[in-house]
Amino acid sequence: MTAAAPLAVGTAPGKFILCGEHAVVYGRPAIAAPLFQVQARAAVYPDRECVVAAVDIQRRLRVAAAPDDEPLATIVRLVCAELGQPPPPWRIDVSSEIPIASGLGSGAAVATATARGLLAAFGVELPAERLSALVYEVEKLHHGTPSGIDNTVVVYGQPVWFVRGAPPQPFAAGAPLHLLVADTGVASPTRLAVGDVRRGWEADPGRYEALFDGVGALVTQARACIESGDAPALGALLNENQSLLAEMGVSSPELDHLVAAARQAGCLGAKLSGGGRGGNMIALVTPDKVEVVRAALQAAGAKKVMRATLGRNTNRPSHREDDAG
Ligand code: MEV
């Protein structure tokens, strides 16, 4: 957008939920990891007043004039309030490779990158816990009752065990786990799926509480499998999680189709990831099956297939091709 060097740049990764989505809104644990293959970026330049430019959609917002519930202006205001500073005369160019409404944490990543760019331009660092709390405020604008898992995993940039209201626990895998993340190409705002699950829970709390308990139990077992490196047992748990999510009503024909294709091609387990109804699914694979499952997903209509490895202990953004931490 401009040839001049920026004052500062902030970035943030996407994320995927390994298991536990939706039930995590109701206090059960979930496991998520960053997805460094797709990132959001914010570059800060001097300007006459404080402006945020959403480069991908060619939208320019004056922070002083933006509505109270505008997510980009909100994160700028929150960071400035945190530092006791007025909005500075800077333009923040925000761009993102993360598809929106796809379950990959685009909202949290864009807000985190914007906050990081601003903080770097002010020359200030915030503890992860504080930054995550600010991004959580923006998440509430995207959907009313977020669990906080998206802002947590995006800000911490590590696989996390997450329980709503408790400090996140970063944890390590006992052996590398190989995953494919495939996009149905169907945009599905998280807020709609979360709202429908809430209505289902209100109408039949007993049934939904039992589904959430089932998810909570399998997530606890999944953590033990990840720590011991037992990929086949983890795969079975992901399949079980997919069944429970389908019973909650958040799968879709497109997701079911990709899940079936991955299973038929020999993955260890597959499920939707994130809010569901569309967006992305994940498949756990052995290294020798990566290419055959990738080809099956593409043949079944996946719009994009990314590879992620959990537990290589190389959790740095430079490992963009194949690294979830
Ligand atoms: C969205 O990434 C995950 C959900 O569980 C919603 C949330 O935790 O806020 C569907």
Side-chain angles (χ1 to χ4, degrees):
M1 193 152 203
T2 183
L7 297 172
V9 171
T11 62
K15 71 97 200 6
F16 65 93
I17 297 195
L18 189 74
C19 49
E21 53 274 268
H22 287 292
V24 69
V25 175
Y26 299 82
R28 276 54 165 201
I31 296 171
L35 190 66
F36 285 111
Q37 289 86 337
V38 281
Q39 298 210 26
R41 180 176 189 274
V44 182
Y45 298 92
D47 207 321
R48 280 194 298 277
E49 64 172 321
C50 192
V51 168
V52 191
V55 174
D56 306 322
I57 53 170
Q58 297 182 346
R59 190 160 161 242
R60 200 181 147 91
L61 284 167
R62 295 175 55 231
V63 169
D68 284 351
D69 61 353
E70 206 299 316
L72 284 172
T74 298
I75 190 67
V76 173
R77 290 179 188 132
L78 286 167
V79 169
C80 291
E82 179 80 13
L83 303 183
Q85 297 276 358
W90 296 337
R91 187 186 79 245
I92 307 143
D93 283 357
V94 183
S95 56
S96 174
E97 305 162 344
I98 308 165
I100 54 170
S102 73
L104 297 184
S106 136
V110 163
T112 302
T114 304
R116 284 187 173 145
L118 264 179
L119 289 163
F122 277 119
V124 176
E125 275 186 39
L126 274 190
E129 189 190 345
R130 199 58 217 132
L131 177 56
S132 182
L134 298 184
V135 176
Y136 181 69
E137 293 304 310
V138 181
E139 286 290 281
K140 286 202 249 176
L141 300 175
H142 290 296
H143 71 102
T145 56
S147 64
I149 193 168
D150 285 20
N151 47 287
T152 300
V153 68
V154 164
V155 168
Y156 282 74
Q158 298 180 54
V160 290
W161 166 268
F162 180 87
V163 178
R164 189 171 190 168
Q169 295 176 27
F171 72 103
L177 294 165
H178 304 274
L179 291 138
L180 291 168
V181 181
D183 194 348
T184 60
V186 178
S188 171
T190 304
R191 126 185 91 76
L192 298 183
V194 168
D196 285 350
V197 171
R198 179 155 304 268
R199 275 182 287 280
W201 174 73
E202 280 164 359
D204 192 347
R207 175 164 175 265
Y208 275 76
E209 286 292 329
L211 292 171
F212 299 152
D213 282 344
V215 173
L218 76 83
V219 172
T220 304
Q221 292 172 53
R223 178 175 178 164
C225 293
I226 296 167
E227 287 176 332
S228 67
D230 188 347
L234 179 63
L237 293 168
L238 298 188
N239 287 339
E240 199 184 314
N241 197 172
Q242 171 63 17
S243 302
L244 294 171
L245 286 161
E247 283 190 58
M248 285 176 214
V250 294
S251 198
S252 71
E254 293 85 359
L255 284 163
D256 291 345
H257 187 57
L258 293 187
V259 165
R263 287 180 186 161
Q264 223 162 9
C267 75
L268 297 170
K271 62 179 278 292
L272 68 85
S273 180
R277 293 275 167 76
N280 278 267
M281 54 77 69
I282 55 171
L284 180 68
V285 288
T286 49
D288 58 312
K289 285 276 166 48
V290 168
E291 289 316 319
V292 69
V293 175
R294 185 201 294 272
L297 287 166
Q298 282 163 342
K303 298 293 173 280
K304 183 172 182 184
V305 184
M306 286 182 277
R307 186 174 170 181
T309 305
L310 208 142
R312 264 181 29 182
N313 203 21
T314 49
N315 187 28
R316 295 270 63 87
S318 55
H319 296 266
R320 283 174 59 104
E321 281 313 301
D322 179 14
D323 180 24

